[in-house]
Amino acid sequence: MSFQPNSGAAGEFTGLIVIREYHRRHNQGHRDVILIPSSAHGTNPASAAMAGLKIEVVSCDDRGNIKIDHLKQLAENHKDNLAGFMVTYPSTHEYLNRILRK
């Protein structure tokens, strides 16, 4: 149980700690790679680093959309050590795209 806020960097960090501890408690402590899109807010990789995870950046197009083929490739490359995939929803890039279209 956590009383940590479920938003912002505090929520990100809490979620990543939960993921890390889940793997450790299931004898999968070697799962320490987190996939993060290049369009993610800067707190995402910062939170992952603070949680002791290794960051792999997923490529995005010019609009910030995740390149699915690259995501699949990274997931396959790190399948034995993959802890998770960090995606912000609603995404920062979509929010900015909406503002810029106005």
Side-chain angles (χ1 to χ4, degrees):
M1 177 186 295
S2 171
F3 292 107
Q4 193 74 9
N6 194 19
S7 63
E12 293 169 8
F13 181 67
T14 300
L16 292 164
I17 292 294
V18 168
I19 289 168
R20 186 192 71 196
E21 290 305 311
Y22 173 87
H23 290 306
R24 286 182 180 172
R25 290 180 188 206
H26 288 86
N27 297 318
Q28 296 284 310
H30 62 278
R31 293 191 173 276
D32 62 355
V33 174
I34 192 86
L35 305 180
I36 302 177
S38 62
S39 62
H41 189 278
T43 61
N44 293 26
S47 294
M50 286 175 51
L53 298 169
K54 296 173 186 168
I55 301 152
E56 285 291 329
V57 179
V58 181
S59 297
C60 294
D61 64 20
D62 291 340
R63 298 198 64 199
N65 299 306
I66 295 166
K67 292 185 176 179
I68 299 300
D69 288 341
H70 191 234
L71 171 62
K72 288 179 182 179
Q73 177 188 8
L74 287 175
E76 179 63 29
N77 291 350
H78 297 284
K79 66 184 176 188
D80 295 331
N81 297 313
L82 190 59
F85 175 42
M86 188 175 191
V87 179
T88 303
Y89 184 81
S91 67
T92 305
H93 89 269
E94 184 57 33
Y95 173 73
L96 292 174
N97 282 334
R98 277 189 240 141
I99 290 172
L100 293 173
R101 282 186 240 148
K102 288 183 179 183

